[in-house]
Amino acid sequence: MLRRFTVSMEDSLLDDFDIFIQDHHYHNRSEALRDLIRSRIIEKEWQAEKPVMGVISLVYDHHQHQLQEKVTELQHGFHQQIVSTTHVHMDHNNCLEVIIVRGKAGEVRQLADSLMALRGVRNASLSMSSTGKDLH
Ligand code: NI
């Protein structure tokens, strides 16, 4: 079943889109937009298989009930993807944990998302880079 929705965009972007539609011989905007969305989603799925190295950093309150245990337990679940973890006691309440990871982009992102979702995690980030092999 097809569903309709409304899209707003700047005039100039829409003009560019219409030129794109002509160049690629689409019959209408909907058809072109569907193809663009599909290709973007496939690209993301493909990237999930890509080998990467990355750094996850977390700031959390170690007084939060069982948070420290959960952070550790999650990491044991991903021990094959974790190269090293450094824990810094920032002040009386806060801990900084920096986790160096290596694995498929999808796995690394899953670990980062799970850690970020824990209650008491104040700040979290993931940065990914291709593995050395892919860097020429
Ligand atoms: Ni600490």
Side-chain angles (χ1 to χ4, degrees):
M1 191 188 78
L2 290 175
R3 285 170 64 183
R4 296 179 73 92
F5 70 104
T6 309
V7 178
S8 309
M9 65 178 79
E10 298 85 359
D11 279 336
S12 59
L13 184 59
L14 188 56
D15 290 344
D16 288 346
F17 186 43
D18 286 336
I19 292 168
F20 173 88
I21 287 168
Q22 273 184 357
D23 288 350
H24 290 81
H25 309 291
Y26 284 108
H27 294 293
N28 54 56
R29 287 175 178 160
S30 292
E31 210 177 286
L33 191 59
R34 282 196 293 271
D35 262 12
L36 284 174
I37 291 171
R38 274 192 216 104
S39 67
R40 190 69 182 87
I41 289 171
I42 289 166
E43 186 187 334
K44 201 185 162 196
E45 282 169 358
W46 177 78
Q47 281 176 353
E49 291 294 313
K50 208 176 138 195
V52 295
M53 285 206 73
V55 178
I56 300 169
S57 68
L58 300 173
V59 174
Y60 62 88
D61 180 353
H62 74 99
H63 290 130
Q64 175 79 37
H65 185 58
Q66 290 196 324
L67 180 55
Q68 184 90 64
E69 287 83 349
K70 286 175 191 163
V71 168
T72 303
E73 203 183 307
L74 259 171
Q75 291 187 56
H76 276 278
F78 286 84
H79 66 273
Q80 285 174 315
Q81 286 79 29
I82 295 176
V83 177
S84 132
T85 300
T86 298
H87 185 107
V88 178
H89 310 301
M90 294 170 74
D91 56 31
H92 189 68
N93 298 315
N94 298 298
C95 301
L96 166 69
E97 210 149 297
V98 179
I99 307 163
I100 298 176
V101 289
R102 183 205 291 266
K104 290 179 180 175
E107 298 166 342
V108 164
R109 183 168 284 126
Q110 196 192 335
L111 171 61
D113 287 346
S114 305
L115 288 165
M116 289 169 189
L118 293 175
R119 180 196 290 266
V121 172
R122 293 193 165 132
N123 199 293
S125 71
L126 163 66
S127 67
M128 286 196 284
S129 161
S130 293
T131 54
K133 236 182 1 191
D134 296 335
L135 298 173
H136 294 293

